[in-house]
Amino acid sequence: MTRLINFLVDKKKTIKKIFFTLFIILVYVIGTRIYIPFLDKSYYSPSKLPPDLKFLESIFSSNPSLCILSLGVMPYVTASIVIQLSQKVFPFMKEWQEQGEKGKRKINIWTRILTILLSLGHGWTFIQIESPSLLSSNFIFRTLFFLTVGVFISVWLADLITSKGLGNGISILIAIGMADKLYKTFEYLLFTNGSEIQRILILISYFILLILTIIL
């Protein structure tokens, strides 16, 4: 018992970081289930909640494309990759790298601008796929606005994990998103009445991605 207490005292900072990271992950997961506000309820799929929690249907949605943090950090990650590649192509971006803090500020500004553009594009794709019959201007504007804001909230949460928690926040949130999609895929494979060929192809594609991830 004494050893356990001493261990907890010695690792107090690490334990705090672990709990902080778990808390931020919880906030992020909840954010991926809170639907975009100020839209008509007919836009949302009914939440799959037990009878005792039906009162939460006014907050949570099972339609992932219409939730605040649906896009996660991927638009920001994509923008960062594009900017990094651009630095090797465009001479003026190479100069920014050599300008210290001033150059970093310029790169960050362009990364955020590109993040906004990618968020809008990604959000538009989501709307086209999930809600093609709901393309009123009001619906599109509000959905794209909140999806874009959600990306920056996700990046902020990732930065909190990186600075005050354990690990790289961006990587952790990407892993959370991948785990969620993997779970939904296996749920589809196991419980949905689809064609066997389609299921096999999805399963093979996931195994290929897994192998490539390990190799690369």
Side-chain angles (χ1 to χ4, degrees):
M1 188 67 181
T2 307
R3 286 184 179 180
L4 178 61
I5 293 170
N6 290 334
F7 174 80
L8 293 175
V9 171
D10 292 339
K11 302 295 181 181
K12 189 176 179 181
K13 285 186 178 179
T14 304
I15 292 169
K16 279 185 178 179
K17 287 184 177 182
I18 290 171
F19 278 106
F20 181 80
T21 302
L22 292 174
F23 172 73
I24 296 298
I25 289 172
L26 177 63
V27 171
Y28 176 75
V29 171
I30 291 172
T32 60
R33 294 294 180 270
I34 298 177
Y35 65 57
I36 293 169
F38 309 120
L39 294 179
D40 192 274
K41 289 183 180 179
S42 62
Y43 292 151
Y44 305 107
S45 302
S47 299
K48 297 175 182 177
L49 294 172
D52 295 341
L53 299 176
K54 282 294 182 183
F55 66 94
L56 291 176
E57 283 187 351
S58 60
I59 301 174
F60 294 97
S61 171
S62 63
N63 188 342
S65 62
L66 294 177
C67 295
I68 293 175
L69 303 186
S70 293
L71 300 184
V73 295
M74 289 311 297
Y76 176 78
V77 172
T78 306
S80 299
I81 292 170
V82 170
I83 293 296
Q84 285 178 9
L85 293 174
S86 299
Q87 289 171 14
K88 297 180 180 180
V89 177
F90 300 106
F92 68 91
M93 284 194 169
K94 285 184 181 179
E95 292 176 7
W96 289 354
Q97 270 187 310
E98 299 167 359
Q99 290 176 359
E101 286 300 319
K102 186 180 178 182
K104 277 185 180 179
R105 211 174 296 119
K106 290 179 182 178
I107 291 171
N108 287 336
I109 290 170
W110 278 102
T111 302
R112 279 159 174 72
I113 291 171
L114 187 55
T115 299
I116 292 171
L117 295 175
L118 289 172
S119 300
L120 293 173
H122 198 164
W124 175 258
T125 304
F126 261 29
I127 293 171
Q128 291 287 342
I129 293 171
E130 297 290 339
S131 310
S133 61
L134 304 174
L135 297 180
S136 67
S137 58
N138 183 48
F139 172 80
I140 292 171
F141 174 78
R142 291 185 180 182
T143 303
L144 291 180
F145 173 78
F146 281 104
L147 286 176
T148 303
V149 170
V151 171
F152 286 93
I153 292 173
S154 300
V155 173
W156 174 64
L157 292 173
D159 287 341
L160 285 177
I161 292 175
T162 303
S163 60
K164 298 182 180 180
L166 280 179
N168 183 287
I170 295 288
S171 300
I172 289 172
L173 295 191
I174 290 173
I176 295 296
M178 290 176 66
D180 182 51
K181 286 180 173 59
L182 193 61
Y183 169 77
K184 288 176 182 175
T185 300
F186 279 106
E187 185 181 38
Y188 168 80
L189 292 172
L190 293 172
F191 303 111
T192 305
N193 294 323
S195 68
E196 291 296 326
I197 295 174
Q198 190 177 14
R199 292 185 183 187
I200 291 169
L201 287 174
I202 292 172
L203 196 58
I204 290 171
S205 65
Y206 263 100
F207 275 117
I208 291 172
L209 286 172
L210 181 62
I211 292 167
L212 288 174
T213 303
I214 294 169
I215 293 172
L216 300 175

